[in-house]
Amino acid sequence: MRSDEIKAIFDQQATCYDERWARTAPIREALHFLLEAVFAGLPADARVLCVGAGTGEEIAYLARRFPRWSFTAVEPSGAMLEVCRNKAIEGGYAERCQFHEGYLQSLPEQNAFDAATCFLVSQFILEPDARAEFFRAIASRLRPGARLASSDLASDVTSVEYTALLETWMNMMTVAGIPAAGVEQMRTAYSRDVAVLPPERVASIIESGGFADPVLFYQAGLIHAWYSTRPPADAQ
Ligand SMILES: C[S@@+](CC[C@H](N)C(=O)[O-])C[C@H]1O[C@@H](n2cnc3c(N)ncnc32)[C@H](O)[C@@H]1O
């Protein structure tokens, strides 16, 4: 899918996005809880880059937990970013946020960030070299030694396990209240518009993108999350 088509889908879903996925909160909350541990070594005034911030769920969690951290939300969908901004205003942390409508390439140059998040974003880049380039662009914005936490759908789609897990994942969506037509749309999207790759392959793409030692720290169904590190200057 082209980036303008992806943006159009999220523009269209933005106002009901949080409500639609509300019942999947346990999966998100566990990821955010562990994220705190992943980012445990960050300074008290850390600057965090959030690529594909969506409606700002990860920012909302971290902003509540770390009152001196600041956040740069990079999000191509203006409608998703608007939800993110309103959430920040309501939550009282908007003054600690920079909201960039667009892609990382157009984010104005600024001091290197202490950490980055990129949750459920790189999977939309179907071509592996372009996906590695996407991670490389994130790495270029981080200080040496900074940590990236990223998540994507991952599985070996040729395996029997994937067939079983996909059914379980679709059942989860039904339990979460996603209408049947929406569940079928997701099934089609996974086979056509989302690069669901084996976890080891995603880890190797993260490494090709300039991050060292990806660690798989979380899995819930098809969602896998890694942390990895931009190597120190003398190791690059
Ligand atoms: C599935 S949502 C996840 C949002 C949020 N990170 C979360 O986990 O709740 C993916 C988001 O990434 C954005 N996105 C897609 N491609 C992107 C890209 N190349 N760079 C930055 N954001 C992108 C979409 O507009 C969408 O808001």
Side-chain angles (χ1 to χ4, degrees):
M1 233 189 331
R2 295 195 323 262
S3 51
D4 58 330
E5 292 172 322
I6 298 168
K7 176 177 140 35
I9 288 172
F10 284 102
D11 276 344
Q12 197 191 355
Q13 294 183 358
T15 49
C16 53
Y17 189 88
D18 283 354
E19 191 185 333
R20 178 172 228 214
W21 295 109
R23 286 198 59 202
T24 60
I27 296 174
R28 239 177 349 271
E29 283 165 4
L31 172 63
H32 294 164
F33 177 62
L34 282 170
L35 181 61
E36 253 187 89
V38 166
F39 283 171
L42 290 189
D45 58 352
R47 296 172 55 253
V48 182
L49 174 66
C50 299
V51 181
T55 61
E57 283 292 290
E58 57 261 33
I59 294 179
Y61 181 85
L62 292 173
R64 273 196 302 272
R65 295 289 300 139
F66 301 97
R68 289 180 54 208
W69 287 12
S70 57
F71 305 90
T72 294
V74 174
E75 174 52 55
S77 160
M80 292 289 273
L81 193 64
E82 197 52 25
V83 177
C84 175
R85 188 197 309 273
N86 288 335
K87 200 174 280 177
I89 293 168
E90 278 166 31
Y93 55 86
E95 69 286 354
R96 291 190 278 135
C97 298
Q98 178 190 6
F99 301 96
H100 176 69
E101 182 177 336
Y103 297 90
L104 196 50
Q105 286 71 12
S106 58
L107 180 71
E109 283 303 322
Q110 47 201 285
N111 291 341
F113 292 91
D114 298 301
T117 62
C118 185
F119 289 154
L120 301 174
V121 183
S122 91
Q123 62 194 28
F124 295 112
I125 302 170
L126 303 187
E127 211 278 305
D129 286 346
R131 195 165 171 179
E133 196 47 49
F134 170 79
F135 282 112
R136 193 170 297 285
I138 298 175
S140 73
R141 299 291 187 141
L142 305 185
R143 66 166 169 73
R147 201 161 253 193
L148 166 71
S150 61
S151 74
D152 280 303
L153 301 184
S155 188
D156 177 355
V157 297
T158 64
S159 66
V160 175
E161 187 189 358
Y162 177 66
T163 308
L165 194 51
L166 183 62
E167 284 318 305
T168 307
W169 196 241
M170 295 293 149
N171 290 344
M172 177 279 291
M173 286 189 198
T174 302
V175 171
I178 309 289
V183 174
E184 282 318 304
Q185 266 172 15
M186 298 297 285
R187 191 193 293 275
T188 308
Y190 287 3
S191 65
R192 198 187 55 194
D193 306 323
V194 180
V196 181
L197 300 179
E200 317 76 57
R201 182 77 185 105
V202 180
S204 89
I205 289 174
I206 294 169
E207 277 192 295
S208 308
F211 288 95
D213 307 326
V215 174
L216 182 66
F217 71 94
Y218 180 65
Q219 179 189 350
L222 289 176
I223 292 180
H224 293 62
W226 293 261
Y227 66 80
S228 53
T229 307
R230 182 182 167 177
D234 54 5
Q236 287 172 30

